[in-house]
Amino acid sequence: MKFIHTADLHLDSPFLGLKNNGLPDELWEKVHQSTFDSFKRIIDGAIEQQVDFVLLVGDLFDREERSVAADAFLINQLNRLKDHEIEAFVSFGNHDYSTADPASFGYPANTQVFGNQVETKRYPLHDGTVVAINGFSFDKQWITQPVIQEYPQAVSDATWNIGMLHGSLSSLNSPEANYAPFTLSELQEKGYDYWALGHIHKRQSLNAQGTINYSGNTQGRHINESGEKGYLLVQNEGQQLTTTFKPTAPIIWEKVTMSLADLSTDQLAASMLEKIADLKYSKLHFIRIELTSDTNVDPAILNQINNGDLLDELQELNTDKWQQLNCWITSVEAPQVSDVVYSTIDQKYFNQAREATLNDDVFNQVLKDFSKQPAFIKDEVSQADAKHEIYDQAGTILQENVVNPDDVEEDSK
């Protein structure tokens, strides 16, 4: 048995923020097309690997109202699988939830769509073995009840038992209770040979055997979805299942660290671009430059970073060289310098103020203001990486605006 586990395609993702990020038109087209290109490569892989079936575990589309172009593209790729006698099993997630009759989608005969209640689909392979695949599709954006309880136990009259579940491990450090929460023990108690999970965009395995997996999303959409993205190829070696990651994303997001000590501060942008050239990217990269410094940073440089002037200059240079460098700079992060206050007493009170202001209680209170925003905005802001990034940037701004009492006294004279 051999199959592909993939999830979170987010076809036709709008890549919010990038369209107005100064991208050249040709580069923007590559960005907009990237989710489509990645999925096409997954189907190419399914055909080349001659897999028995493909599991698509939710959020195939970025939103409930999928575009005509995205829908047509998906059907075209499913037809490619049909032409090679490869079955496709589809469940919808919190982004592309649906209550429509699966027969109304116009999918080819090789495509089996899970309904809104947990169900089992039995699929015989060419060698006579039988696979029992269990799953369901979201019928609304938020599902707070643990749907895992509705999954049946593994059956003995199937050679392989597989679960498809778009949802969140309850212990993950994010507010995921709205997305069909489950625990690891609840998955293991079902006795399945493999769990194909979706919703969490970071590829990860939840058990030592590597049979309970998030495949991650297929194309990173911002800096907190960095690294290679693609699918998991799963196959049996006797009674054991093994997984192999296959990268397919045409664009890779990455954080690049640079020390100000290694840069020419009078020609900062050009110096930074030279460092990027030394990386010699073989694939298209979208990067955030994270500056570091062991000493206090010139306030003029901090201001240049925080008001966006440095990024504007970088992107102006980048526009003419992105093809040569195979990268686009999306953001610059200011150095985090620990000692910027002017006396031990001042530093003590500054640290106390920072701890009182930048903590989880305050953050969660602010997060409530996002309740009326589209779900994906709250999802992204809630991620641990995003929270730490907000803390760091807020701390930098606080540091930059700390006023030396001696300066105030001097100014008043």
Side-chain angles (χ1 to χ4, degrees):
M1 177 183 67
K2 187 190 297 185
F3 66 91
I4 281 176
H5 165 200
T6 188
D8 299 285
L9 313 179
H10 289 274
L11 294 175
D12 213 12
S13 176
F15 288 91
L16 292 174
L18 278 181
K19 185 69 171 79
N20 299 317
N21 199 237
L23 269 73
D25 290 343
E26 185 180 353
L27 185 53
W28 166 247
E29 184 56 33
K30 287 182 178 293
V31 172
H32 181 256
Q33 195 63 29
S34 61
T35 54
F36 297 98
D37 289 344
S38 186
F39 184 53
K40 182 180 181 299
R41 293 175 182 178
I42 292 171
I43 301 304
D44 291 344
I47 295 168
E48 292 166 7
Q49 299 281 347
Q50 297 181 319
V51 302
D52 295 298
F53 53 90
V54 174
L55 306 181
L56 301 169
V57 195
D59 286 357
L60 283 64
F61 302 97
D62 194 66
R63 47 198 176 277
E64 180 194 9
E65 296 179 358
R66 67 282 318 255
S67 69
V68 173
D71 208 31
F73 174 81
L74 178 66
I75 292 173
N76 179 264
Q77 298 306 310
L78 294 173
N79 273 310
R80 291 182 63 208
L81 292 178
K82 181 176 72 70
D83 292 343
H84 289 81
E85 298 183 345
I86 298 172
E87 201 80 356
F89 294 87
V90 172
S91 65
F92 294 115
N94 58 295
H95 276 257
D96 56 359
Y97 59 93
S98 176
T99 57
D101 180 357
S104 68
F105 295 135
Y107 294 163
N110 69 318
T111 304
Q112 300 193 44
V113 180
F114 286 92
N116 300 136
Q117 302 298 319
V118 174
E119 57 183 314
T120 303
K121 296 182 182 293
R122 299 174 67 88
Y123 182 59
L125 305 184
H126 296 300
D127 63 2
T129 61
V130 176
V131 182
I133 302 175
N134 307 275
F136 82 101
S137 290
F138 275 54
D139 61 352
K140 53 183 175 293
Q141 190 174 38
W142 293 305
I143 295 181
T144 57
Q145 69 268 30
V147 183
I148 180 61
Q149 296 174 3
E150 300 171 16
Y151 279 70
Q153 292 294 125
V155 294
S156 58
D157 60 346
T159 315
W160 302 100
N161 287 267
I162 296 174
M164 292 173 63
L165 176 54
H166 191 90
S168 177
L169 183 68
S170 298
S171 62
L172 287 178
N173 185 25
S174 55
E176 297 289 348
N178 288 329
Y179 307 111
F182 57 84
T183 64
L184 181 57
S185 62
E186 287 174 323
L187 299 183
Q188 294 171 323
E189 287 166 2
K190 299 300 178 181
Y192 294 176
D193 299 291
Y194 188 86
W195 276 100
L197 304 176
H199 180 62
I200 300 301
H201 289 183
K202 180 181 179 181
R203 185 175 69 257
Q204 56 193 290
S205 184
L206 303 186
N207 67 336
Q209 296 75 27
T211 55
I212 304 177
N213 298 318
Y214 281 108
S215 59
N217 57 339
T218 58
Q219 170 59 62
R221 299 171 301 159
H222 48 71
I223 195 61
N224 291 321
E225 295 179 351
S226 58
E228 293 274 16
K229 300 287 185 176
Y231 67 89
L232 294 177
L233 178 67
V234 187
Q235 51 193 324
N236 74 296
E237 296 177 0
Q239 293 303 305
Q240 299 297 316
L241 293 179
T242 62
T243 61
T244 305
F245 170 69
K246 300 288 187 179
T248 58
I251 299 173
I252 299 172
W253 291 77
E254 184 178 7
K255 298 176 182 179
V256 176
T257 301
M258 294 184 188
S259 171
L260 277 172
D262 299 330
L263 299 170
S264 171
T265 53
D266 58 338
Q267 291 185 318
L268 189 54
S271 183
M272 291 165 73
L273 222 58
E274 288 178 8
K275 292 289 184 183
I276 295 299
D278 292 340
L279 296 175
K280 294 181 169 49
Y281 288 128
S282 60
K283 293 183 179 180
L284 180 58
H285 277 61
F286 275 41
I287 66 171
R288 164 179 290 164
I289 297 176
E290 298 183 336
L291 295 172
T292 64
S293 178
D294 294 329
T295 61
N296 288 345
V297 181
D298 184 342
I301 292 178
L302 281 177
N303 187 57
Q304 196 180 359
I305 297 169
N306 290 328
N307 67 16
D309 286 348
L310 178 59
L311 181 61
D312 287 344
E313 186 178 353
L314 276 167
Q315 290 182 337
E316 185 176 347
L317 295 172
N318 204 174
T319 296
D320 295 327
K321 296 184 177 181
W322 72 267
Q323 291 171 306
Q324 174 188 341
L325 299 174
N326 220 2
C327 90
W328 179 256
I329 301 167
T330 64
S331 58
V332 179
E333 189 172 278
Q336 304 300 312
V337 183
S338 56
D339 296 325
V340 298
V341 189
Y342 301 92
S343 73
T344 303
I345 296 175
D346 291 337
Q347 186 69 54
K348 173 185 175 182
Y349 288 121
F350 177 85
N351 291 340
Q352 289 176 349
R354 178 185 171 117
E355 290 173 7
T357 306
L358 304 178
N359 59 54
D360 288 353
D361 289 340
V362 174
F363 185 85
N364 292 333
Q365 185 64 37
V366 173
L367 197 60
K368 291 180 181 179
D369 294 338
F370 288 86
S371 59
K372 295 182 181 180
Q373 301 298 324
F376 73 89
I377 295 179
K378 185 174 181 180
D379 289 350
E380 302 306 342
V381 175
S382 301
Q383 298 300 315
D385 286 349
K387 179 169 68 174
H388 294 148
E389 177 187 335
I390 291 168
Y391 285 175
D392 287 344
Q393 290 186 357
T396 298
I397 293 170
L398 284 173
Q399 290 173 350
E400 182 187 357
N401 286 279
V402 168
V403 178
N404 186 348
D406 294 337
D407 291 342
V408 174
E409 203 173 300
E410 185 68 32
D411 291 342
S412 64
K413 292 178 180 178

